[in-house]
Amino acid sequence: VFWNWQAPHRPEFLLQYWCLPPFAEEGYFARIMEEFGWYELAHWLKTHNPLDDMIRFILGVLLYYLQMFMMGMPALLLFMAWLWHDTVLSRMWPDLMPREDAHQIFLIDFVIAPSFSRWRHIDVGAKVVYIMLYFYAIMVSLIALYCNFVRQIKQDEPKAFKYLNDFVATMWLFTLFASIVLCTVVLVWIIMGALVNPIALMPYAIMILAIVGMYVTLNGKLTEMKDHVVDSIRSSMDYALQAIFDALVNDPSAAGDIDKDVATLQTLSVQITEWMSQNEKKEQETLLKQSVIQTDVEGFQIKNMDLLRESAEFVTLEGMKKNKILLTDFCPNPSSDKESTVARALQMALEAATIDGTNEVGITKSVAATAADGSEYTKTFAAGAPPIKSVFFAKAIAGSQEVQIQRPGQLSARNQANITALSSQLNLRIGTAKSAINGYILELQRKRQEHRPPFLEKADACAGLFSRIRQERLFNHFIEFEKDGPNGKEKDSCVRQLLHEIQQAEVGDLSVKAASALTTVLDWVKISRNSQAYVLSTLEGAIINRAMDESLSSVHDKSIAYDLCMQVYQLAFSKWDSVYKNDAMQVFVDCGVVEYRYKYWPATKSILQSVLDKNKCFTGDLYPGALVGAVKMLCLPEAKPPPMNDIPAKTYLWYGALVHILKKLGWSDEEMEPAWLGRRWREVTEGTGLFAYEHDDQLIGLVMSLSSGGLWKAAAKGLMFNVGVGGYSGCDVQRDGLEKAAKAAHALMFVDPINLLALAEKAGTWPDYVEDAWRRNSQRAGSLDPTFLPVDRILDFLRDVVYLPVGEVEVKLTPLSAWCTNALDLQWKMGGDKAVWHTIGGSNKRLRGIWLELALVLFKSMDTVPTDLDVYYQALAFQDKTLGKSGGTPWLRLEVLRRWLKEVYYADRRWCTFASFKAITHNLLRCDLPEGPLLTQVFTPCPKDPEDDLGELRRLTDLGGALFTWMGYGLWPAAMEVALTEIMPRGRVQTVALSVLDEEFKALDPEGLGILQPAEAVVLLHRLVAPGLTCEDMTDFVSSRLGMQVPDRELHKYFAMMDVNGDGVLQADEFIPMFVYLTFDFFPHHVLRRLNLSTGKIVAFVLSVLLLLGLLFALITLVIAAFPTGKGVAATLHSSVSGVSAYVAKQSSDKSIGAEDSMANVKKELEAKALMAVVAVLGLSKAVYDNLTRMMGV
């Protein structure tokens, strides 16, 4: 009040907001004169106002003295405490003070008779206190004078106010603290001094201890009683609150009002749907006519298409050709409700045909038909139900929703969560919280009925508004119109123009996205890591293993193991008698396992004989089956014997199997040159012609040793395909033409990357620049040996493929993406030669262009281009056409891609990707439908572009018709926002309604479709007209509906305190806390006052008892002092009488508060009184009181 320096510091201001009495208010006497009819005198008082000015001046002066007293009070307390200190010290002087200080006098002596002589004998502390008192009084007077009077004349900066405020506050706190400390010291001195000088101080010590003990006892008992009563009041209030709300909610008329309102809104929503179907009929027919969606759908067609799409035939080309896009494919309801929606649409079609007189159900019809042999006959059949038309299907979708108004007891999941959380936070019973929520719901529904605009009761007006919003904001943009073009009249639409804007933005951002794609794809650290993983894991662990399994397994009919088994079966039985009976080893030669020359070599002969011995019968003889077993045991891993003594048996690889494995791995004839391979075979088999191995890893090591640990061409192609660098280089447009190259790329796209033989065949022959890179980086062991790519030269090979070899040239380079979000994108530059350059390792390298894998990554980051191989090859063909084959690069140049997109690809704006469709609807048209339903239920069912490999494109006209059909007559959040702003007037309530629109929309859209049909839209608007209870609503609710008498000022205070978001209304999660604080904070004070247990009552009672006790002690002291007895006898009498008086006073106080009874009985009596006080304060009715006592079990 005194030191608010931001406000005008005039006495009038301070009085007006603090202690201004009514008679001193401005114009008070003038109003009194007007009440008596003395208008002339009242007018004179208003113009001259002498009484007001005089009274307010007098009050200002009084306030000046009040300020001085309040600010100077601590100094006065300190001065009085020091005087008291001197008084106590004087009584203890002979025993406690040293003799050399006996010449000193006390401050009180100087105050009574001041002189310079006495001043010299005052203690230093007393001098400080005395000087501080005078200095403090002078400062307080001057500051109060300045703040109240001088500053009115001289308007200084408020900085002086701040400094003065800090100074006075510091002095005020310091002196108050010093006074408290000094008083405490004096009290302790009295108590301790009673032990030293009991004759002088014992009576006073007994007085102090008696007063302190009395205070502690009374305060403790009264506080305990108050706390118990407060807990009892809180419990009673908790039950009372539930009883009050239960009485409100259980009123039968309330439920009847809600039922009536539901019926009204349901009728209104049906009428709105019918009006909207008529308003939008023309637009609906136009949109569907533009598309290829079949509008008139027979019931059997739906079943036929469902059966077709569920069958295996649908995944074939012929099956897809039979597919038809039906109107019923675009149903926004879940699949479980689609049948009911279709049934409603069929019923509507049947009813419409009956009304029009065109219903032919059950009528037998005859038509002329032609038989298979060409003869004509008459075909008779029964007419079926009329087809589903678009208007019926839209009305069926809209009719799938009913008006749902929340009733008391029907709590949403959010309300349940709020109840649990709030009851825990506010220490409230769950039942009370539920009853409060139900009361809030009921009152909110009543307010919504009262505040509902008349506009919402007119079906034609609502339908007109909804249809206009749908048309202007969304569907009119999909309708095509004719305009003059370079080739005459051509069709266009707003969505095509919007798509054109998106495409132009994409072209403008092409460099940024290209730099990002290059950073992602051409990361040499990642490529190196992936290359190592490919060689060590994929190549050795998967590719070579698979080739071995397919070659050495007799299960595969095209494996060499299978051929060997078939051959040995045939030879063993056909030549047994003539050849093998006498020379069993010859079977290994005839089967091609070993050459004839190895047959008699000791090492080879020992291996073969050992195998034959293991397959002899128990008589030691051989037979044809034993020869078959011997060959299989020797060559096939699946037939090798079990290990002996933990030593695994060996299997032997023969030369023919090696050649078969290498062919499976894609080795070329040049890489398997017979002379070189034969020489290497003899080296690894040590002249035996058989390679012994125990595990597959040894065979993998054999293959890798043949290539000196490097890669052969097929493996290199697999590596390039795997790391995404030049994998499609063999599909060369310059060499093979567009059609052949694109066809080869499509075939390569779906090849198994583990099958190197198929991959090498589909990848085709490398162009010259890749072959040159291979020759520069591959190595051969000898002059006649084949070449292989060492692992440590893989990156060099890939760099030679990617970068164009150029000499030292001066080219001006500018960043490809100057405003990139990733700093690594700055490594890509655009040269003055229109080529992309890579700044790496302090040098600049020129890229050959954009290869296919990079282009697919780039297309994936774009909204308007599908990730289609044909797009890349069409751009390459355009490049060859414009630049010629001598354009300098076999890959696509970025500037050519930009030009091709603008001039060729974007010229046809009939098709778009889902990303473009989403950008159009969400960003440009503000139809922010959820991505999931928009993709799966609108975009995906539309017909695909037959030339789009991955099915990423849809026709814009089809999307318009599909979106209209799927939405029925629904509205999206932005449309509801427009409707709300047109229905509700501007103001605070509209702002609050817009802020909670999304939340309420989601509550009415549990399936997450992003649309509300007319029934739901009406309910949403019904909710938003009263998004919560305003302060006026709360005042009316508390006083009129609940019958609780609470001052408006208190209600406003609690409302403002609980309106956390400051929107001016209370939602459910704010309503409960407000009632809790109102009930548990406002009413308990009245109950406590009624029980005389308020804080003020307790303080007044304790102080009165202590005051009476102090007066009694003073009286005893005066009486004892009046008798001229000895000091010892007087002190003893004084102390005894003081102790007895203290005991009598304590017993009297206990009796007055009922403490002589047991505390349990006192508490039980207080609980009963508290309950009756709660009932009286709340003014509960008989029914509510009975319900309250029933719940509490009283």
Side-chain angles (χ1 to χ4, degrees):
V1 174
F2 295 134
W3 303 110
N4 186 3
W5 59 271
Q6 293 179 343
H9 297 274
R10 300 189 303 273
E12 290 83 4
F13 175 81
L14 300 174
L15 290 171
Q16 181 179 355
Y17 290 98
W18 186 49
C19 57
L20 183 65
F23 64 84
E25 294 178 359
E26 186 175 359
Y28 174 79
F29 290 101
R31 291 195 299 271
I32 295 298
M33 296 300 105
E34 289 178 350
E35 292 178 3
F36 284 97
W38 299 337
Y39 298 105
E40 295 182 359
L41 182 57
H43 176 72
W44 183 82
L45 290 174
K46 286 182 180 180
T47 55
H48 296 81
N49 202 14
L51 292 177
D52 286 352
D53 293 341
M54 181 175 62
I55 293 174
R56 293 167 72 83
F57 176 78
I58 294 173
L59 290 175
V61 174
L62 293 177
L63 180 62
Y64 167 68
Y65 286 108
L66 176 63
Q67 285 179 327
M68 287 194 297
F69 173 75
M70 291 294 295
M71 290 187 292
M73 181 180 62
L76 294 176
L77 291 176
L78 179 61
F79 182 73
M80 294 171 63
W82 192 270
L83 295 181
W84 187 22
H85 163 270
D86 285 352
T87 302
V88 175
L89 186 63
S90 65
R91 290 177 175 268
M92 301 172 62
W93 184 280
D95 299 313
L96 294 183
M97 297 301 297
R99 300 300 301 172
E100 55 268 18
D101 295 335
H103 65 280
Q104 293 185 352
I105 64 174
F106 298 107
L107 180 61
I108 191 171
D109 298 325
F110 175 78
V111 173
I112 294 173
S115 66
F116 287 105
S117 176
R118 290 175 176 265
W119 177 258
R120 289 195 303 270
H121 292 84
I122 296 177
D123 183 69
V124 176
K127 292 180 180 179
V128 172
V129 171
Y130 192 78
I131 295 173
M132 181 183 296
L133 174 64
Y134 274 92
F135 175 76
Y136 197 90
I138 295 172
M139 288 299 299
V140 164
S141 301
L142 294 177
I143 291 174
L145 180 65
Y146 169 78
C147 296
N148 288 276
F149 298 101
V150 177
R151 192 172 180 275
Q152 296 184 41
I153 304 171
K154 182 180 179 182
Q155 296 293 331
D156 296 331
E157 294 292 328
K159 189 179 297 184
F161 238 179
K162 181 178 181 302
Y163 293 147
L164 292 175
N165 180 46
D166 294 341
F167 173 76
V168 174
T170 303
M171 294 295 295
W172 198 89
L173 293 175
F174 174 76
T175 52
L176 182 62
F177 175 76
S179 302
I180 294 173
V181 171
L182 193 57
C183 290
T184 305
V185 169
V186 171
L187 292 175
V188 173
W189 273 26
I190 293 176
I191 296 174
M192 299 302 294
L195 301 177
V196 178
N197 190 357
I199 295 177
L201 297 177
M202 181 59 74
Y204 303 102
I206 293 175
M207 293 179 189
I208 293 173
L209 292 176
I211 292 174
V212 172
M214 183 70 70
Y215 170 78
V216 172
T217 303
L218 289 177
N219 185 67
K221 290 183 177 180
L222 291 174
T223 302
E224 181 182 0
M225 294 168 62
K226 178 187 175 183
D227 293 341
H228 181 75
V229 170
V230 168
D231 293 339
S232 178
I233 292 173
R234 182 179 180 84
S235 177
S236 301
M237 285 290 183
D238 195 336
Y239 283 102
L241 196 60
Q242 181 179 357
I244 292 171
F245 279 112
D246 285 345
L248 176 68
V249 172
N250 295 331
D251 185 3
S253 62
D257 293 340
I258 293 180
D259 292 337
K260 182 179 178 181
D261 200 37
V262 169
T264 301
L265 293 180
Q266 185 66 46
T267 304
L268 180 68
S269 66
V270 173
Q271 295 173 353
I272 289 175
T273 301
E274 190 62 36
W275 275 100
M276 291 181 70
S277 66
Q278 298 179 21
N279 295 341
E280 302 180 22
K281 183 177 182 180
K282 181 178 179 182
E283 185 179 45
Q284 186 178 27
E285 293 176 351
T286 303
L287 286 172
L288 292 174
K289 186 177 180 180
Q290 293 177 174
S291 67
V292 298
I293 301 173
Q294 182 176 334
T295 54
D296 295 343
V297 181
E298 304 281 353
F300 71 90
Q301 290 179 320
I302 301 175
K303 297 179 180 179
N304 292 347
M305 287 301 102
D306 290 341
L307 291 174
L308 174 64
R309 293 164 185 167
E310 293 174 358
S311 66
E313 181 186 5
F314 186 66
V315 299
T316 64
L317 294 177
E318 291 298 326
M320 292 182 181
K321 290 180 181 178
K322 296 179 182 180
N323 184 41
K324 296 181 180 179
I325 308 301
L326 305 179
L327 185 75
T328 54
D329 292 335
F330 305 96
C331 184
N333 300 322
S335 57
S336 58
D337 294 340
K338 181 179 178 181
E339 295 181 1
S340 60
T341 303
V342 172
R344 282 194 300 272
L346 286 171
Q347 182 64 29
M348 291 180 186
L350 185 62
E351 293 174 356
T354 303
I355 294 174
D356 297 340
T358 58
N359 185 7
E360 299 179 349
V361 176
I363 299 176
T364 302
K365 302 181 71 175
S366 300
V367 294
T370 304
D373 58 358
S375 60
E376 296 183 356
Y377 68 99
T378 301
K379 182 178 180 181
T380 303
F381 61 93
I388 299 176
K389 295 184 179 297
S390 58
V391 63
F392 300 141
F393 191 65
K395 289 164 69 174
I397 292 174
S400 62
Q401 305 297 333
E402 297 180 353
V403 171
Q404 298 290 339
I405 292 182
Q406 191 176 12
R407 301 169 180 268
Q410 297 178 349
L411 301 179
S412 63
R414 181 191 171 198
N415 285 337
Q416 293 284 6
N418 286 338
I419 287 174
T420 305
L422 290 173
S423 61
S424 175
Q425 295 172 4
L426 302 173
N427 194 20
L428 192 68
R429 294 170 47 254
I430 293 288
T432 305
K434 286 184 178 180
S435 299
I437 282 288
N438 290 329
Y440 172 80
I441 293 172
L442 184 64
E443 180 64 16
L444 190 60
Q445 295 299 338
R446 190 175 70 88
K447 291 300 178 182
R448 285 168 176 169
Q449 294 176 18
E450 294 179 0
H451 298 317
R452 185 183 302 160
F455 183 88
L456 281 181
E457 299 177 355
K458 300 177 182 178
D460 56 343
C462 291
L465 175 62
F466 292 167
S467 296
R468 176 168 57 82
I469 293 174
R470 283 162 49 89
Q471 293 168 1
E472 294 178 356
R473 301 279 173 166
L474 183 60
F475 293 115
N476 283 352
H477 296 82
F478 287 90
I479 296 178
E480 293 184 331
F481 53 85
E482 289 189 349
K483 71 172 187 177
D484 295 331
N487 300 322
K489 295 289 185 179
E490 60 181 24
K491 290 186 176 181
D492 199 359
S493 64
C494 293
V495 289
R496 287 192 183 184
Q497 297 173 0
L498 296 176
L499 178 61
H500 180 66
E501 293 180 7
I502 298 175
Q503 291 170 343
Q504 295 303 312
E506 288 262 279
V507 171
D509 294 339
L510 185 61
S511 297
V512 177
K513 295 189 175 183
S516 179
L518 280 166
T519 302
T520 303
V521 175
L522 206 59
D523 182 355
W524 288 113
V525 176
K526 184 174 71 173
I527 292 173
S528 175
R529 186 167 54 249
N530 293 342
S531 300
Q532 294 293 332
Y534 179 82
V535 173
L536 298 177
S537 178
T538 306
L539 181 61
E540 298 181 3
I543 296 176
I544 299 179
N545 251 327
R546 177 176 175 177
M548 292 189 311
D549 291 341
E550 292 179 353
S551 299
L552 300 179
S553 175
S554 60
V555 177
H556 296 278
D557 57 350
K558 295 183 180 180
S559 66
I560 193 170
Y562 178 82
D563 295 340
L564 177 65
C565 291
M566 293 298 101
Q567 187 178 12
V568 73
Y569 271 112
Q570 181 181 3
L571 291 175
F573 287 95
S574 63
K575 293 185 177 184
W576 169 255
D577 294 328
S578 60
V579 179
Y580 304 138
K581 189 175 183 180
N582 300 320
D583 188 4
M585 289 188 184
Q586 185 61 33
V587 70
F588 295 103
V589 178
D590 295 342
C591 292
V593 175
V594 296
E595 298 179 18
Y596 182 79
R597 57 178 174 171
Y598 292 120
K599 175 182 175 181
Y600 299 103
W601 288 14
T604 307
K605 184 176 180 180
S606 173
I607 295 171
L608 299 179
Q609 187 61 48
S610 174
V611 175
L612 289 173
D613 292 341
K614 291 178 182 179
N615 285 273
K616 288 180 179 181
C617 64
F618 64 93
T619 60
D621 297 328
L622 289 172
Y623 56 95
L627 296 181
V628 174
V631 173
K632 294 175 67 175
M633 182 180 292
L634 178 72
C635 301
L636 303 184
E638 60 197 42
K640 68 179 181 180
M644 296 181 62
N645 299 326
D646 296 332
I647 300 176
K650 292 183 179 180
T651 308
Y652 293 88
L653 182 73
W654 68 104
Y655 183 78
L658 174 65
V659 173
H660 192 275
I661 291 174
L662 295 180
K663 287 183 178 179
K664 278 281 186 181
L665 293 174
W667 284 50
S668 63
D669 294 339
E670 180 185 353
E671 292 168 335
M672 292 191 298
E673 197 276 323
W676 170 80
L677 188 59
R679 176 170 55 83
R680 293 288 291 131
W681 177 250
R682 288 191 295 274
E683 292 175 0
V684 297
T685 60
E686 298 178 352
T688 61
L690 293 172
F691 181 77
Y693 65 96
E694 298 173 355
H695 305 286
D696 293 343
D697 293 342
Q698 293 172 297
L699 285 183
I700 296 174
L702 171 64
V703 174
M704 296 305 295
S705 67
L706 292 177
S707 64
S708 302
L711 303 182
W712 52 100
K713 285 189 176 181
K717 291 179 181 179
L719 171 70
M720 297 169 71
F721 191 78
N722 181 268
V723 300
V725 178
Y728 293 86
S729 299
C731 309
D732 192 13
V733 174
Q734 290 185 345
R735 182 189 64 198
D736 303 329
L738 172 62
E739 184 176 353
K740 185 177 179 181
K743 185 177 180 181
H746 280 287
L748 181 59
M749 184 179 183
F750 298 102
V751 76
D752 184 3
I754 304 298
N755 189 348
L756 285 187
L757 179 61
L759 190 144
E761 292 175 354
K762 299 296 183 182
T765 306
W766 276 338
D768 293 340
Y769 65 91
V770 183
E771 288 288 352
D772 292 340
W774 176 267
R775 284 192 292 270
R776 285 195 297 271
N777 295 281
S778 61
Q779 295 178 358
R780 65 177 78 215
S783 60
L784 300 178
D785 294 347
T787 58
F788 299 98
L789 181 64
V791 175
D792 57 353
R793 298 298 300 274
I794 289 177
L795 289 185
D796 295 333
F797 167 69
L798 294 177
R799 288 191 180 100
D800 288 345
V801 173
V802 171
Y803 299 125
L804 188 66
V806 292
E808 294 294 333
V809 293
E810 291 292 336
V811 180
K812 182 180 179 182
L813 302 177
T814 57
L816 190 62
S817 174
W819 298 279
C820 57
T821 56
N822 186 356
L824 295 177
D825 293 350
L826 295 174
Q827 62 185 313
W828 310 104
K829 307 291 176 53
M830 176 62 70
D833 54 356
K834 301 299 181 182
V836 178
W837 290 71
H838 187 191
T839 302
I840 180 173
S843 61
N844 297 317
K845 298 181 180 295
R846 177 181 172 179
L847 296 179
R848 293 183 185 273
I850 300 174
W851 59 98
L852 181 57
E853 294 94 333
L854 173 61
L856 293 180
V857 174
L858 174 59
F859 296 160
K860 189 174 182 179
S861 66
M862 299 176 68
D863 293 338
T864 57
V865 180
T867 52
D868 190 356
L869 302 179
D870 292 330
V871 176
Y872 176 78
Y873 283 103
Q874 289 171 9
L876 266 181
F878 176 80
Q879 177 173 283
D880 287 347
K881 182 178 179 182
T882 54
L883 301 180
K885 292 187 177 181
S886 60
T889 174
W891 290 348
L892 184 62
R893 301 184 66 168
L894 183 61
E895 289 302 312
V896 174
L897 175 62
R898 190 194 309 274
R899 179 181 170 190
W900 174 77
L901 288 174
K902 293 177 66 174
E903 297 180 5
V904 179
Y905 187 76
Y906 288 160
D908 183 10
R909 301 193 301 274
R910 296 175 302 162
W911 300 86
C912 74
T913 62
F914 176 71
S916 300
F917 181 55
K918 178 184 173 184
I920 291 173
T921 54
H922 284 210
N923 303 336
L924 302 179
L925 298 180
R926 286 195 63 207
C927 182
D928 45 349
L929 300 174
E931 182 175 339
L934 190 66
L935 173 62
T936 59
Q937 300 179 18
V938 178
F939 188 86
T940 302
C942 286
K944 304 174 184 178
D945 183 0
E947 298 180 358
D948 181 19
D949 296 331
L950 301 180
E952 297 178 86
L953 296 177
R954 298 294 187 277
R955 190 182 285 107
L956 283 172
T957 52
D958 293 338
L959 291 173
L963 186 60
F964 190 99
T965 304
W966 179 79
M967 290 185 66
Y969 296 111
L971 291 98
W972 56 101
M976 293 303 304
E977 180 180 337
V978 175
L980 185 66
T981 54
E982 295 195 16
I983 291 175
M984 294 182 64
R986 292 180 180 271
R988 184 185 61 184
V989 178
Q990 186 198 80
T991 304
V992 177
L994 291 175
S995 66
V996 300
L997 187 146
D998 288 339
E999 182 180 351
E1000 295 290 345
F1001 191 100
K1002 292 176 181 177
L1004 292 172
D1005 182 28
E1007 297 165 359
L1009 298 176
I1011 54 173
L1012 295 182
Q1013 298 302 330
E1016 300 165 318
V1018 167
V1019 173
L1020 177 61
L1021 293 176
H1022 169 75
R1023 289 185 179 186
L1024 294 179
V1025 295
L1029 296 178
T1030 63
C1031 189
E1032 292 76 13
D1033 295 337
M1034 287 298 300
T1035 303
D1036 177 65
F1037 177 61
V1038 171
S1039 60
S1040 302
R1041 301 279 289 170
L1042 300 182
M1044 300 169 66
Q1045 302 303 318
V1046 181
D1048 293 347
R1049 175 172 47 96
E1050 293 294 327
L1051 270 176
H1052 292 175
K1053 179 184 74 174
Y1054 288 107
F1055 185 93
M1057 183 170 60
M1058 288 298 106
D1059 186 15
V1060 180
N1061 53 12
D1063 55 8
V1065 296
L1066 291 185
Q1067 278 80 32
D1069 53 353
E1070 298 171 330
F1071 176 82
I1072 294 180
M1074 176 187 169
F1075 256 95
V1076 169
Y1077 283 109
L1078 176 65
T1079 309
F1080 295 164
D1081 185 57
F1082 174 74
F1083 288 109
H1085 293 300
H1086 295 270
V1087 176
L1088 290 174
R1089 280 198 297 269
R1090 197 179 189 91
L1091 297 175
N1092 293 325
L1093 283 176
S1094 63
T1095 303
K1097 294 281 187 179
I1098 292 175
V1099 171
F1101 176 76
V1102 172
L1103 291 179
S1104 62
V1105 171
L1106 296 180
L1107 180 60
L1108 290 175
L1109 184 60
L1111 293 175
L1112 177 62
F1113 286 151
L1115 179 61
I1116 292 172
T1117 302
L1118 292 175
V1119 171
I1120 296 298
F1123 291 95
T1125 58
K1127 291 186 178 181
V1129 176
T1132 302
L1133 291 174
H1134 194 177
S1135 301
S1136 302
V1137 174
S1138 297
V1140 172
S1141 301
Y1143 177 77
V1144 172
K1146 179 181 181 304
Q1147 294 298 321
S1148 176
S1149 63
D1150 288 345
K1151 184 177 181 180
S1152 64
I1153 62 174
E1156 75 281 356
D1157 197 1
S1158 66
M1159 187 57 68
N1161 294 334
V1162 172
K1163 290 181 178 180
K1164 187 176 297 185
E1165 183 179 355
L1166 286 174
E1167 288 176 2
K1169 291 182 178 180
L1171 177 60
M1172 298 308 298
V1174 167
V1175 173
V1177 169
L1178 293 179
L1180 301 183
S1181 63
K1182 179 69 168 57
V1184 176
Y1185 175 73
D1186 292 340
N1187 189 22
L1188 173 62
T1189 55
R1190 179 182 57 80
M1191 287 189 296
M1192 296 184 66
V1194 178

